[in-house]
Amino acid sequence: MNRYRFLIVLLGVIILTACSSNYRIIEIEVLKPAKYSVPPDIASIVLVNNSYPFRDTFIHVAKVDGKFMTLDSIMVDAFPDTLLKSLSQELLLRRFFDTVYIDTIKYNPEFLGKPLKPLSSQQVDDICEKYDAQAILAVGAYSHGTLLKVDEVGYSEYYSTMDVSGVSYWRLYDALQDQVIHEKIQVDTLFWDGVGASAQNSLLKFPSLKEATLNLADYMGWKFTDNIAPYWEKVKRKLYTSGNAYFMSASDWIANKNWEEAEKLWGFVYENGKPIDQARAAHNIAFSFEQKGDFESAAKWAYNSYQAYSLTSSAQYGVEKDEATAYYKEMSIRKREHKKLVKQIGGAVE
């Protein structure tokens, strides 16, 4: 009896191994369009601090045993400058603009300015003329705050969290059009947590309030870059490499970086194979076209894969069906995004 049980288990392991080894995961980078399309005639940009200093007395708060208390009233006036520095560094890395400048003048000081005061047309002209730029991206306002929570979760054990939240308001001025062409409110949070035998010990690894706030500003400046400049994103794709001799031969061609010959073999399988093999072959062809930047064809073949999976009735392929549906949707999105990227970058985009 034990021998039969062993054989059944062994057979199950063999089946699982066979099922899990008929594909491999490939990690690629895809270029994503910026959320806002900056006009192509804007080649150089100036980053400006036009924010009125943030002031509030109830911004760093602790909640201990269900009771709220003020931790500190420290104002981090370096918040907007840290935003701009981080944003500048990331824009320079992406090389979307020819040049990126930071103007160090504070155009909305506490003793003369007022909250949300925009730059005047004259200021925009003067700044852009000074740097020979076509646009200004300004921090028009900001705020920040901290919430610290300490909870006793067991005997002599405390769990603490610290959330640092920030808001920044951005305006993009087009000097050529003499107008604000884009406005964005950005909201972000950084989180820390810790455990200790006492409330104090659970806080030991937390940064200071100022350090945490500046970490948030640095993160927000980096993150905002996605709004105005395309960015690379890592994604994982599945490639079916076995199942019959044609998939295995195609894998040999791929090893030699000859995707065109592999496509021919997958095409033959799609025309003559079983529904499950057709579905997998169509998926591979879609992925091949995606890598070449032909998203129209990639979406078409992803749809063919989705249709072929619909002809398979076995529940064994349920996960693959769901993946095929998701991949078709993603290729449809990439097809639309590619048009946006061409508008943002121009020329052929892969």
Side-chain angles (χ1 to χ4, degrees):
M1 188 69 177
N2 289 337
R3 183 180 303 170
Y4 290 125
R5 187 176 300 161
F6 171 77
L7 289 174
I8 291 172
V9 171
L10 179 61
L11 180 61
V13 171
I14 292 173
I15 292 174
L16 287 173
T17 303
C19 290
S20 63
S21 62
N22 66 345
Y23 67 86
R24 65 188 178 98
I25 300 298
I26 299 176
E27 187 173 77
I28 63 172
E29 286 191 329
V30 300
L31 186 61
K32 307 289 287 185
K35 296 176 177 62
Y36 172 75
S37 295
V38 176
D41 52 359
I42 295 178
S44 298
I45 193 168
V46 185
L47 308 182
V48 169
N49 178 5
N50 190 47
S51 61
Y52 188 76
F54 171 62
R55 295 290 179 262
D56 197 337
T57 57
F58 196 66
I59 58 171
H60 303 294
V61 180
K63 184 181 179 182
V64 182
D65 295 331
K67 297 179 181 179
F68 287 94
M69 64 184 71
T70 301
L71 287 171
D72 203 323
S73 58
I74 181 174
M75 303 295 167
V76 185
D77 290 346
F79 193 95
D81 294 327
T82 304
L83 276 174
L84 295 180
K85 181 180 179 181
S86 177
L87 173 62
S88 172
Q89 291 172 343
E90 184 62 22
L91 284 175
L92 289 170
L93 284 175
R94 297 192 190 186
R95 299 181 180 178
F96 181 67
F97 297 102
D98 291 346
T99 47
V100 178
Y101 304 97
I102 297 181
D103 192 303
T104 57
I105 298 175
K106 290 177 171 46
Y107 288 90
N108 197 5
E110 188 171 7
F111 55 91
L112 290 175
K114 61 181 181 180
L116 296 175
K117 177 184 177 182
L119 292 169
S120 68
S121 295
Q122 187 61 55
Q123 286 176 314
V124 172
D125 288 341
D126 290 345
I127 295 171
C128 286
E129 183 177 355
K130 176 182 177 182
Y131 293 96
D132 191 22
Q134 297 80 43
I136 292 171
L137 180 59
V139 182
Y142 70 95
S143 64
H144 58 82
T146 307
L147 175 59
L148 181 69
K149 293 181 181 179
V150 180
D151 293 303
E152 188 173 4
V153 294
Y155 179 73
S156 296
E157 186 174 37
Y158 291 81
Y159 176 66
S160 298
T161 60
M162 183 166 72
D163 293 76
V164 181
S165 302
V167 179
S168 57
Y169 172 51
W170 301 86
R171 286 190 180 108
L172 180 61
Y173 298 81
D174 187 338
L176 301 173
Q177 301 295 326
D178 191 26
Q179 61 181 339
V180 176
I181 57 173
H182 180 58
E183 295 177 272
K184 177 71 176 181
I185 296 176
Q186 179 188 14
V187 180
D188 272 305
T189 300
L190 287 186
F191 168 85
W192 289 264
D193 66 345
V195 177
S198 66
Q200 188 65 32
N201 285 342
S202 68
L203 306 175
L204 289 178
K205 294 184 179 180
F206 288 0
S208 68
L209 296 178
K210 181 177 180 180
E211 181 184 358
T213 302
L214 291 178
N215 284 343
L216 174 65
D218 184 75
Y219 170 78
M220 291 178 66
W222 168 80
K223 188 65 177 174
F224 185 78
T225 318
D226 293 348
N227 285 275
I228 60 171
Y231 58 98
W232 291 96
E233 184 178 85
K234 289 184 178 180
V235 298
K236 292 181 179 179
R237 298 285 187 251
K238 179 181 284 188
L239 182 74
Y240 292 98
T241 56
S242 64
N244 59 41
Y246 296 102
F247 281 102
M248 297 177 70
S249 296
S251 296
D252 292 336
W253 283 113
I254 292 171
N256 292 313
K257 303 187 185 304
N258 193 331
W259 287 79
E260 286 73 18
E261 290 299 324
E263 282 179 23
K264 293 176 184 178
L265 292 171
W266 294 325
F268 180 83
V269 174
Y270 180 75
E271 293 294 335
N272 302 282
K274 298 179 296 184
I276 184 60
D277 290 332
Q278 290 177 321
R280 292 169 175 173
H283 168 83
N284 284 0
I285 295 173
F287 176 51
S288 182
F289 277 115
E290 180 190 7
Q291 290 193 104
K292 292 186 287 190
D294 184 349
F295 303 110
E296 187 80 35
S297 297
K300 171 192 167 186
W301 280 101
Y303 181 73
N304 289 345
S305 177
Y306 160 76
Q307 279 194 316
Y309 272 114
S310 68
L311 299 177
T312 62
S313 57
S314 174
Q316 178 183 354
Y317 307 116
V319 173
E320 289 186 33
K321 286 181 182 180
D322 293 341
E323 291 174 344
T325 303
Y327 189 59
Y328 169 60
K329 291 179 179 177
E330 188 166 355
M331 288 306 97
S332 299
I333 292 172
R334 287 213 68 188
K335 184 170 69 172
R336 294 195 300 270
E337 288 183 339
H338 182 258
K339 295 177 180 178
K340 192 173 182 180
L341 278 166
V342 170
K343 179 181 178 182
Q344 293 177 359
I345 297 178
V349 180
E350 296 185 359

